[in-house]
Amino acid sequence: MPLEMPDPDDDESPRRRRRYETPSGPWWKPTSKFGRIFFGLCAILVVGALVTSYLLVAHFLQRDGRFRIAGTSNIEAAGLTQVSRAEMLPVFGEDIGKNIFFIHLNERRKQLEQIPWVKSATVMRLLPDQIHVNIVERTPIAFVRQGQQIGLADADGVLLSMSPARMTQHHYSFPVVTGIDPRDPQPSRRARMAVYQRLIGELDSTSQRLSEQISEIDLTDPEDARVLMPEQGADILAHFGDDQFLTRYQRYKAHIAEWRQQYPRLAAVDLRYEEQVVLEMAPGSGPSVTKGDDKSAGDTTVAGNPAIPSKPSAATKSNVATAAKPLASPAHKPQAHSSSKSATKSALEKKHLEARRAALAHKQKLSNSSSQSAPVSER
């Protein structure tokens, strides 16, 4: 019988099917050995050309004199107000004569931010041979007293130096802050300045600008802002604590005239108690006395007790409240008040009292010599 042979014109034949089938692999992966060799050679040539081009361009940019920092005139700076070019240029001293592509911009930025007045800096390359520096300077918000020197401080507690003449030119008018030690860590100084900003912000929350009536703020204890209030030639030390600044200020202003009339030797007022005010007499003013506050139903005034601690506690408040009740006769009041408080004295309280008295004496000396000091606007 005849053998069956495939019909070449049949569409179903294997030869015709192979002719119209698409390749199964990707285009960049040849199936034949020759195609793979050719593709590999092409890839090597392309990579070699790219590397050669990169090296040639890098050599050109690094060696060409047009990209060299010729002098300080090639360094531009913007935002300089308190920082001078003379203070900024030493940062780029070793870059003069170098190729612009060899300058470490991040390093230069960190060095610029080490300058006290510089809060942040941006350093950029401008081809072919320019370095552009943008400076953001710190903004002073308070005078800071360190010994007999007056400087400035910003919101982060960074101490800034400025000559008295330049301070006068800027017409700065801030309260004087003490208790900011440059040896303290940055977070500690920032926390103290945060208390200062809250105090000033609350006092100025009204349209009366009450902060202008403040002379000096002691932030040695960030939980107790001690404010010197000028009162007719004498300074009263007011303890404002760390909150309710406006309420305590209004209470102080409402009663200070009466307190000074009753106690001419008044030296300090502690406003941190919620239902009473503690008064302290100047050293050597005689025995301490107690008196109720007739103008405010809930407030009681305790006068001239040196044993009252600077930071009130629950136990202390109860003792003060007991001692603050009006007694039968003025002669009997000093004995009752002194005996009730003498048992609560501690070494820490005595030390704090001595420091407070020394601060008041130092302030009195400074006020006597203020006319001969640097021309700084202090309130």
Side-chain angles (χ1 to χ4, degrees), residues 1 14 21 66 84 87 107 126 134 138 156 176-177 186 197 201 205 236 265 275-276 299 305 314 325 350 360 368:
M1 296 183 62
E21 284 181 353
R66 289 175 294 181
S84 64
E87 294 175 300
E107 248 181 66
L126 296 180
N134 188 33
R138 298 185 181 275
D156 293 328
V176 176
V177 175
Q186 183 72 23
Q197 291 182 89
S205 59
I236 304 297
R265 300 281 295 177
E275 297 182 354
Q276 55 206 3
D299 289 349
N305 186 5
K325 295 179 180 179
K350 292 179 181 179
L360 290 172
N368 294 335

Side-chain angles (χ1 to χ4, degrees), residues 26-226:
W27 65 269
W28 51 266
K29 189 175 181 181
T31 57
S32 64
K33 183 178 180 181
F34 175 78
R36 290 194 295 269
I37 294 174
F38 178 77
F39 182 80
L41 291 175
C42 291
I44 293 173
L45 291 174
V46 170
V47 172
L50 291 176
V51 171
T52 302
S53 301
Y54 171 79
L55 294 175
L56 290 175
V57 171
H59 183 271
F60 169 75
L61 295 177
Q62 294 173 3
R63 304 302 176 185
D64 195 287
R66 289 175 294 181
F67 302 100
R68 187 174 62 88
I69 303 296
T72 57
S73 59
N74 294 62
I75 301 175
E76 301 176 353
L80 296 181
T81 303
Q82 306 302 332
V83 181
S84 64
R85 280 183 62 87
E87 294 175 300
M88 181 202 71
L89 289 177
V91 174
F92 299 93
E94 63 183 41
D95 297 327
I96 303 300
K98 277 188 177 182
N99 188 281
I100 194 173
F101 296 102
F102 288 96
I103 298 175
H104 301 284
L105 301 184
N106 193 42
E107 248 181 66
R108 299 299 173 262
R109 176 186 61 79
K110 292 179 180 179
Q111 291 173 349
L112 287 171
E113 291 176 353
Q114 294 300 316
I115 300 174
W117 274 97
V118 178
K119 184 175 183 179
S120 62
T122 305
V123 185
M124 299 180 294
R125 296 185 183 93
L126 296 180
L127 298 179
D129 58 352
Q130 298 288 325
I131 294 293
H132 182 76
V133 180
N134 188 33
I135 299 292
V136 177
E137 294 183 340
R138 298 185 181 275
T139 302
I141 61 173
F143 289 120
V144 175
R145 185 192 303 278
Q146 300 179 44
Q148 298 296 327
Q149 302 295 324
I150 294 292
L152 297 166
D154 74 337
D156 293 328
V158 177
L159 302 180
L160 309 170
S161 60
M162 180 181 287
S163 64
R166 293 188 66 183
M167 289 185 188
T168 305
Q169 292 176 359
H170 286 283
H171 303 286
Y172 289 139
S173 180
F174 307 124
V176 176
V177 175
T178 59
I180 304 293
D181 194 331
R183 295 169 295 182
D184 290 338
Q186 183 72 23
S188 175
R189 286 179 280 156
R190 186 183 294 111
R192 286 173 168 80
M193 293 306 297
V195 176
Y196 166 83
Q197 291 182 89
R198 291 204 312 272
L199 189 152
I200 299 299
E202 286 193 28
L203 296 186
D204 290 343
S205 59
T206 64
S207 58
Q208 300 178 359
R209 301 286 299 177
L210 300 177
S211 66
E212 295 180 358
Q213 302 181 30
I214 291 178
S215 172
E216 187 170 314
I217 303 174
D218 185 359
L219 297 175
T220 304
D221 182 2
E223 296 182 358
D224 178 20
R226 293 176 287 180

